[in-house]
Amino acid sequence: MPHLWEVVGGADKGGIVVREGRELSSAARERLATGSAIEEIQLIDSRLHFRRLAGAGPDEGWVTTVLSGKVLVRRAEEAFAGTWEDDEGTEVIIEGSTMRGLGTSVPFEVSGVRMCCFRMDGDTFNGRLLSDGRILWSDGAMWQRKVQPGALVISEGEAAPKKRIPQDAVVAAKGKARPKEGLPPRGADGRRPLPGRTLSATEIIEWIADAVDVFETLLLPLEPISEAHARQQYKQLLLLVHPDKNRNPGATDAFRKLFDALAVIVDPALQNRALRAKGGTSKPGGDGPGFGFPGFAGFGFGFFDEYGGVGGLVAAVFSQENVDESERVLHEQCELLESMGRYDGSTKTWIDPQQAKELWDSDQVTFVDVRDADEYQTSRIEGALNLNWALASMASRLEEFKVIAAAPEKLVVVYSDNGSQLSRCGQVAESLTYSLRQHRVRRLRRGLNAWKRQGFPVHGSRQTYFARQQLGGR
């Protein structure tokens, strides 16, 4: 696998300098944003020829890795190197592709800019480097970097510690699950109340797959959650959804979604933003720089799982200086994913605003607005139906669905504000595609914002938005 690098310098200057050639005298290009993920093409001394994978900046070029003793670009492996301490105080040393500790020495693999893994006793443990410098592992463990590295003595016959199994698991023990009674129905707010009974492994997977946000994914209330509580809950759920132990076809996706949800909950700033986005009460003083954004459901696991998971998305999109830059980077990254063949950008999935407008003029299209009710009331495409994205799983029970189903000759076009491959409208489009087999369902490329920018008719405000914040300078 080609070496991956992360841009760590230039935070105070909008990124680091990129030049067309190896020579420092070659023409300069736009800067490569801090936090960007890049792939090594060639490394000559301190000059790196790169291909951009995530973040803002040129698609390729040359950068300096170290300038006057200051590291500007760091290899992904270097972020993990050093001595770490696990939850039980055991020291672990990571050196290159080897990890020593836990009574053994095993291969250590860096699978992305902030992703890593190792295998022990037949199990695979995936790790994610959090913004505060700790490593969160897929079994719920958290490692802290040692400020002063201590000695680590490994006895030849030392046995690895046994895994602890929580005794107060919220899920049923194997062979003792209650008969399936069905999950509790969603309330008027679109949320599902926490179950008042033990759920079976199959029901847990169904619950996680259908969850509308990170709190519901972990079967937690929509309120501030302590890290200890979140990790305990995660470990309990992991007992039944881990794909190494559960052969249910949905186990892998449930495990990934569960892990991503935990990564959000244990980060105070991300948890606060997720709470605000859902109308919950956030912790005072716990929010860091940035701004609110919708839940993570629908963001997928492909590219960003490989290059940083949810953290990669936040770094590439939501860490920009303002919402205008965030929108630009979002669409830039989606185009990159499409060019890499990681998402379907065909006309079987998407429709351009101009084509949708032509169908609108001839009454051959039904528009479906997936945003929240207040957003829909503020502005929408004239005649569009409102089918909130959080209700995608129960779309067929809604009155709006009956209106759509009654006109099978019309193309169904689903939209949100930004209409990217990563946006929330994907859930509704997928649900409608499954339920309306005789219909054709498409998503509006670049969403309502693109429709407005082309001057097409809207009911209400013509202001454009990103993550519920007004865009300007367009």
Side-chain angles (χ1 to χ4, degrees):
M1 177 180 176
H3 285 297
L4 300 177
W5 297 69
E6 180 181 14
V7 179
V8 295
D12 58 338
K13 299 178 180 178
I16 63 175
V17 175
V18 177
R19 297 191 180 277
E20 292 186 357
R22 177 190 170 192
E23 299 75 19
L24 294 176
S25 58
S26 62
R29 296 182 173 179
E30 62 177 304
R31 287 179 178 265
L32 184 62
T34 305
S36 296
I38 59 179
E39 180 181 80
E40 177 184 319
I41 298 176
Q42 186 179 18
L43 178 64
I44 302 178
D45 297 326
S46 63
R47 296 288 286 166
L48 173 67
H49 187 196
F50 72 89
R51 179 183 298 107
R52 180 173 56 84
L53 299 172
D59 290 337
E60 63 90 24
W62 289 79
V63 294
T64 299
T65 58
V66 181
L67 181 63
S68 301
K70 183 178 180 180
V71 177
L72 302 181
V73 188
R74 177 183 62 187
R75 269 190 178 176
E77 298 96 308
E78 296 174 9
F80 298 95
T83 303
W84 301 81
E85 185 176 77
D86 70 8
D87 294 333
E88 298 179 341
T90 303
E91 288 188 6
V92 175
I93 296 178
I94 299 175
E95 294 178 324
S97 59
T98 301
M99 184 180 76
R100 295 186 288 114
L102 302 177
T104 186
S105 177
V106 297
F108 178 83
E109 179 183 343
V110 176
S111 53
V113 170
R114 292 182 174 269
M115 302 295 291
C116 62
C117 70
F118 70 89
R119 295 170 180 81
M120 180 181 291
D121 299 331
D123 291 329
T124 298
F125 299 88
N126 296 296
R128 173 176 292 138
L129 186 64
L130 301 179
S131 58
D132 61 7
R134 296 180 298 169
I135 300 178
L136 171 65
W137 292 97
S138 54
D139 65 347
M142 190 79 78
W143 289 6
Q144 182 76 44
R145 187 184 293 277
K146 292 279 287 184
V147 178
Q148 294 294 333
L152 177 67
V153 179
I154 305 175
S155 302
E156 189 66 28
E158 186 179 351
K162 294 182 178 180
K163 297 178 184 177
R164 292 174 296 172
I165 305 297
Q167 298 301 310
D168 56 343
V170 298
V171 292
K174 185 177 180 182
K176 297 182 180 179
R178 297 183 183 180
K180 182 176 179 180
E181 301 173 19
L183 301 181
R186 295 193 177 279
D189 61 354
R191 301 186 61 77
R192 197 187 297 281
L194 297 178
R197 62 178 178 84
T198 298
L199 298 182
S200 68
T202 300
E203 288 175 319
I204 288 291
I205 290 174
E206 181 183 347
W207 177 288
I208 293 173
D210 190 49
V212 297
D213 55 48
V214 294
F215 297 92
E216 194 170 288
T217 297
L218 282 161
L219 280 83
L220 293 170
L222 189 62
E223 61 186 36
I225 303 295
S226 70
E227 178 181 313
H229 185 190
R231 289 169 60 189
Q232 179 188 43
Q233 184 82 339
Y234 173 84
K235 290 180 180 180
Q236 292 171 358
L237 294 170
L238 192 63
L239 291 174
L240 289 187
V241 306
H242 198 290
D244 287 348
K245 302 173 177 62
N246 191 322
R247 300 305 176 188
N248 187 301
T252 297
D253 286 342
F255 164 68
R256 289 174 172 173
K257 190 172 181 180
L258 199 64
F259 187 32
D260 273 353
L262 180 64
V264 175
I265 296 292
V266 299
D267 186 312
L270 294 184
Q271 182 185 145
N272 268 0
R273 294 173 196 166
L275 277 169
R276 285 206 317 269
K278 288 295 179 180
T281 303
S282 57
K283 293 180 182 178
D287 201 11
F291 29 81
F293 49 95
F296 293 102
F299 277 61
F301 301 99
F303 178 81
F304 287 109
D305 196 38
E306 192 171 338
Y307 296 107
V310 170
L313 178 64
V314 173
V317 178
F318 291 101
S319 63
Q320 301 303 313
E321 293 182 356
N322 53 57
V323 287
D324 294 278
E325 278 299 294
S326 289
E327 186 198 39
R328 181 186 68 79
V329 171
L330 173 65
H331 291 308
E332 182 181 72
Q333 294 308 306
C334 290
E335 290 170 0
L336 173 63
L337 298 179
E338 192 171 311
S339 68
M340 296 170 67
R342 295 182 182 270
Y343 280 94
D344 180 13
S346 72
T347 55
K348 292 182 179 180
T349 303
W350 300 89
I351 185 171
D352 292 325
Q354 182 62 50
Q355 296 171 299
K357 172 61 166 54
E358 293 173 0
L359 293 172
W360 184 84
D361 288 336
S362 57
D363 194 27
Q364 298 181 55
V365 63
T366 299
F367 283 109
V368 177
D369 188 313
V370 308
R371 300 170 303 152
D372 293 337
D374 62 318
E375 297 174 286
Y376 173 77
Q377 292 298 330
T378 299
S379 66
R380 60 183 180 272
I381 295 177
E382 292 184 6
L385 300 171
N386 187 210
L387 202 165
N388 186 276
W389 69 280
L391 305 178
S393 62
M394 55 185 296
S396 60
R397 306 178 213 166
L398 305 177
E399 288 300 317
E400 291 80 3
F401 179 86
K402 297 177 183 178
V403 176
I404 300 169
E409 74 283 358
K410 291 186 178 183
L411 182 73
V412 179
V413 176
V414 184
Y415 70 85
S416 58
D417 275 327
N418 293 282
S420 71
Q421 286 95 332
L422 306 175
S423 68
R424 49 187 170 170
C425 60
Q427 298 172 71
V428 177
E430 182 177 357
S431 179
L432 291 177
T433 299
Y434 177 80
S435 302
L436 298 168
R437 298 183 185 276
Q438 73 276 36
H439 289 62
R440 294 176 299 149
V441 180
R442 301 289 185 273
R443 296 171 65 187
L444 185 63
R445 191 180 293 275
R446 297 211 172 191
L448 182 58
N449 286 347
W451 180 274
K452 290 178 176 178
R453 287 167 180 156
Q454 294 199 31
F456 296 155
V458 295
H459 179 85
S461 171
R462 298 201 65 86
Q463 175 66 52
T464 52
Y465 294 86
F466 183 87
R468 281 184 167 268
Q469 296 199 31
Q470 291 188 5
L471 291 162
R474 296 286 180 176

